[in-house]
Amino acid sequence: MSKMPRIYADSTIERMYRKLALPDETIKLLFDYFSAMANLYQLLPLKDAYKIISGQNKGMITEEQFIAFSEIARHEEHEYYILSEDEIYIDGKKSEPMERTLVHESLCLCGFDEYYELEEEQYDKPLCILPKDELLRYTDDSYIPDTPQTRAMTDFLRKTLKMNKDDAEDVLAECNIICRLESGINNIEMVFSLIEKKGFFMSEAQLKRFISLYQDLHNNSRKPANRGFTPNELRAKQGGTSTLPKSITFGPNISNALRNGTMNANEIGMQILCGDFPDEIKRLMLEELKRQTTVKPISRNAPCPCGSGKKYKHCCGK
């Protein structure tokens, strides 16, 4: 693997800008696009970047001008790199300018392992192209979209847990980062830790509600691994191709243990969240757990749900 692109001297960069001869507002807009794309996708071929920019700004820039601009950005210091194949892979070939890749700097801090992992996760997924105004909001790397899910989580933190504005914003920001950048939802413990450090402790009912809100937030967060799509959007776009079940039902043993308190619903919920399951399976399991723990009490004279044929009071209800 060769060295990263060399940073040019200011005088060299100035000459390149003069030769490019684009208006200052166009230069600024291009840099905003590159920053937003690095934050939203983390990994994006330049040909896709040009497709988005030229499609949203008809006649603003030619492909030759875009290549010249990306060459300048490639040799300046930014929160992203523009890399050729030979700079990423040991046996990679030198790429043509439009075959290079826009890469968030976080993927290259300690080698390229994180780059390779994200590249594999993104493989064969469609590209989400947001409207211009929404896409450019991602120039702020801490941007949190205003969605029903973020509003619901904020309401829970402010109204149910009685957090002040600053604490609620801190927790929501932590949730947003984890939901976007983690491949699963296993790091919810980090959010629990932050909430407890701020001096807030949830009851069993509040914990169940928080887990449900967090799962909903996760499924509606735009993820670099999904090339900008949320899990729910990608699932809908690939509808009919999944082999995952549409629902999950616990067997009578687990159901009875949850009802009589032998199994703790919160502990089961944490085991599901931390388990090595696909996100969709986790969602279905959490939905079933919620259903099982909110059902009405069984009449003692009703048939036992275990299927024995006996009345509940003579079977599992003893």
Side-chain angles (χ1 to χ4, degrees), residues 58-98:
K58 299 294 185 181
M60 183 185 77
I61 188 170
T62 66
E63 183 172 324
E64 290 73 19
Q65 290 171 323
F66 178 81
I67 290 173
F69 170 80
S70 66
E71 185 67 21
I72 296 173
R74 172 175 155 84
H75 294 287
E76 291 181 310
E77 290 188 0
H78 297 287
E79 72 277 9
Y80 53 80
Y81 298 103
I82 297 172
L83 301 178
S84 174
E85 185 179 324
D86 64 317
E87 292 162 337
I88 301 170
Y89 300 99
I90 294 175
D91 56 350
K93 298 179 181 179
K94 188 173 183 179
S95 304
E96 294 297 323
M98 286 296 280

Side-chain angles (χ1 to χ4, degrees), residues 247-294:
S247 64
I248 288 177
T249 303
F250 294 156
N253 291 337
I254 294 179
S255 298
N256 292 332
L258 286 169
R259 290 191 180 102
N260 62 31
T262 305
M263 296 179 72
N264 183 284
N266 289 336
E267 292 179 359
I268 298 300
M270 288 301 298
Q271 289 174 15
I272 292 171
L273 286 168
C274 298
D276 188 18
F277 309 114
D279 288 346
E280 177 65 4
I281 294 295
K282 290 182 180 181
R283 183 183 70 82
L284 295 173
M285 292 175 74
L286 289 171
E287 285 181 356
E288 173 65 0
L289 179 64
K290 182 179 179 181
R291 187 186 72 81
Q292 291 281 359
T293 54
T294 56

Side-chain angles (χ1 to χ4, degrees), residues 10 29 61 90 151 186 198 215 224 232 236 245 251 253 294 301:
D10 290 345
L29 180 59
I61 188 170
I90 294 175
R151 291 195 293 272
N186 297 353
K198 290 182 176 294
Q215 179 72 29
N232 280 349
N253 291 337
T294 56
N301 290 315

